[in-house]
Amino acid sequence: MGKRMEKSMAEKTEHLILGILAHVDAGKTTMAESMLYHSGTIKKPGRVDHKNAFLDTFEMERSRGITIFSKQAILSLEDTQFMLLDTPGHVDFSAEMERTLQILDYAILVISAPDGVQGHDMTLWKLLRRYQIPVFLFINKMDMPGMDRTKILKELQKYLDSGCIDFSDAVKRKEEIEEELAMCSEELMLEYLERQEIRQEIVKRAIRKREVFPCYFGSALKLTGVQEFLEGLGKYTREPSYGQEFAARVYKIARDDQGNRLTYVKITGGVLKVKDLLSGLKKESLTDEEGELWEEKVNQIRVYAGAR
């Protein structure tokens, strides 16, 4: 019985919501396509300039070559299932992006190597800090001539956070990475001094606490560095703990092709079933103590991946 229980626990699938953010033209949608391709979600990565990106499903997005509405796709890595949300990068649609931030477990910030840290990157960083979202960074377009990894990393540490650590080539650079990690917090330093290494669980906790921000370098268009980045996501993320009672956060209202209203939610506790009756208080603002009682039945539950 003990072995069966151990096997059951080992096979438990974690579920995480992962958002991808970037300055416009940093290659965010290309990065999302590459991640979906490497994980086996799609057979061929689409391209913005070819107007066939999996997550740019609206005609206006394909014609303009930008993401306007946040969309989602399912990405599975061993025992973790990510709901990947592609958010708008253009400042004109930043409200749509910020609504999505409120439900993220982790964020991916894509930085353009040739451009370095730009003003909008710093704005995104402030928002991620406000919502206390752990961040993984992918420095894109490293295939361009003259890209200097050391110089870019110093820029990230100067303008974003000193906890930006290069996690690339983790096996070869294990000791070097651990020495840098030890400088990020007292817990990491004590762990390193006592054990001469830092356990994976401790690194996970430091990332969750926003003391460490793993950085990976590559080219989403050339499909380089993306597999290593995905392995890092699978290794250093963990599912938050949720309560037994049903709870959810609404982050988007839309309509399908038939005009049916769709309410996008993140489940933060318990179980949701079709025909469940939901209720709550309709408040004018978050500070209101009273509100009008509403009740509504769940007619359908849908999980979207791109346009499907």
Side-chain angles (χ1 to χ4, degrees):
M1 185 173 179
K3 290 183 178 180
R4 285 200 299 271
M5 288 179 63
E6 288 176 7
K7 184 178 180 181
S8 176
M9 291 176 66
E11 290 176 349
K12 179 183 179 292
T13 300
E14 294 196 342
H15 298 271
L16 292 163
I17 297 184
L18 185 66
I20 183 164
L21 304 90
H23 187 283
V24 66
D25 293 332
K28 172 179 58 61
T29 299
T30 305
M31 179 61 179
E33 296 289 313
S34 184
M35 290 172 64
L36 294 172
Y37 171 71
H38 274 289
S39 66
T41 303
I42 57 178
K43 294 181 180 180
K44 182 181 178 181
R47 288 178 53 165
V48 174
D49 53 342
H50 292 175
K51 301 181 180 180
N52 63 348
F54 181 76
L55 286 170
D56 281 346
T57 55
F58 290 87
E59 183 58 38
M60 188 184 299
E61 293 176 313
R62 293 187 169 181
S63 62
R64 295 183 61 180
I66 60 173
T67 300
I68 298 175
F69 305 104
S70 60
K71 268 113 37 224
Q72 57 282 322
I74 298 171
L75 186 157
S76 296
L77 300 174
E78 296 183 1
D79 58 350
T80 304
Q81 186 181 83
F82 293 100
M83 179 64 76
L84 179 66
L85 299 183
D86 185 14
T87 66
H90 200 285
V91 292
D92 290 349
F93 308 106
S94 57
E96 176 83 4
M97 176 274 299
E98 190 168 351
R99 279 194 294 270
T100 306
L101 290 185
Q102 300 177 50
I103 62 158
L104 298 185
D105 296 313
Y106 291 86
I108 300 168
L109 182 61
V110 180
I111 301 288
S112 170
D115 299 317
V117 179
Q118 301 182 78
H120 190 57
D121 294 321
M122 297 177 70
T123 299
L124 291 172
W125 193 260
K126 290 175 182 176
L127 286 170
L128 291 165
R129 182 170 61 227
R130 179 193 299 174
Y131 292 105
Q132 287 296 294
I133 301 169
V135 186
F136 287 74
L137 292 95
F138 185 81
I139 296 78
N140 194 24
K141 304 184 182 181
M142 287 297 292
D143 56 319
M144 301 290 284
M147 295 300 99
D148 186 329
R149 182 183 296 194
T150 302
K151 181 180 177 181
I152 295 169
L153 186 64
K154 287 182 179 179
E155 187 178 352
L156 295 172
Q157 292 171 340
K158 178 181 179 180
Y159 292 108
L160 299 184
D161 196 283
S162 60
C164 292
I165 305 294
D166 183 1
F167 271 56
S168 301
D169 304 319
V171 176
K172 293 181 182 178
R173 298 178 52 251
K174 182 176 185 294
E175 187 173 339
E176 180 184 343
I177 292 172
E178 289 185 339
E179 287 177 358
E180 293 178 16
L181 284 171
M183 304 301 293
C184 292
S185 74
E186 184 176 345
E187 182 183 25
L188 290 166
M189 176 64 79
L190 290 173
E191 172 82 1
Y192 184 69
L193 292 175
E194 290 177 3
R195 304 174 63 94
Q196 301 304 305
E197 65 176 1
I198 301 176
R199 287 169 292 174
Q200 182 175 316
E201 195 58 37
I202 304 297
V203 179
K204 280 186 181 182
R205 187 155 65 223
I207 294 170
R208 187 77 214 173
K209 291 163 65 178
R210 289 178 47 86
E211 295 171 343
V212 174
F213 304 93
C215 300
Y216 295 84
F217 296 77
S219 169
L221 185 61
K222 299 292 180 65
L223 302 176
T224 58
V226 179
Q227 182 61 46
E228 184 181 24
F229 179 77
L230 288 173
E231 290 170 1
L233 281 178
K235 186 175 182 180
Y236 294 115
T237 55
R238 66 180 185 184
E239 183 181 67
S241 57
Y242 295 118
Q244 296 297 315
E245 186 177 351
F246 173 75
R249 173 170 286 181
V250 176
Y251 71 97
K252 180 179 175 180
I253 303 291
R255 293 195 179 271
D256 63 13
D257 294 338
Q258 287 73 45
N260 299 309
R261 191 186 70 179
L262 301 175
T263 303
Y264 290 78
V265 299
K266 175 187 179 180
I267 307 298
T268 57
V271 176
L272 179 66
K273 298 178 182 178
V274 175
K275 303 303 181 185
D276 278 356
L277 187 64
L278 304 181
S279 63
L281 292 176
K282 183 179 180 180
K283 299 181 180 182
E284 294 297 326
S285 69
L286 294 175
T287 57
D288 285 353
E289 295 183 2
E290 297 182 357
E292 183 182 350
L293 180 67
W294 60 266
E295 288 187 338
E296 195 163 340
K297 186 178 290 185
V298 178
N299 296 321
Q300 292 182 354
I301 297 176
R302 301 179 184 178
V303 179
Y304 274 92
R308 299 198 304 270

